Amino acid sequence: LFTPAVERQIETYGKVRILFEMHDFHGWDAAALWEDIKFDVKHFNDIERLAIVGDKKWEHGMAVFCKPFTTASVRYFDTSDIDQARQWLGE
């Protein structure tokens, strides 16, 4: 249950940094997409950095999808670069 956990972190710490690791991601169905959009709109200013880790083929699509829903700095990392994603989040 991603949303309640992140919302608790936001209440406690303010802006958060998120590592979003995609495993076997094949896109969204309509219900999942709607839930993600509602979360993104509600927390537009609450995410400071978002590192997305997954297969290279999703890089462009995820960047385009995330941009209108957040003021966060968003970077995409290939699965093999997860350590770089963690380092970037910690800077």
Side-chain angles (χ1 to χ4, degrees), residues 33-47:
L33 180 60
W34 177 241
E35 288 304 312
D36 281 351
I37 290 171
K38 285 194 310 185
F39 175 85
D40 294 341
V41 169
K42 180 177 180 182
H43 295 292
F44 188 84
N45 291 310
D46 296 327
I47 302 169

Side-chain angles (χ1 to χ4, degrees), residues 3-23:
T3 301
V6 172
E7 288 178 338
R8 282 193 300 276
Q9 294 295 312
I10 291 168
E11 288 174 14
T12 302
Y13 301 107
K15 288 193 177 229
V16 296
R17 295 177 177 194
I18 296 173
L19 175 72
F20 176 60
E21 189 174 3
M22 300 184 304
H23 289 287

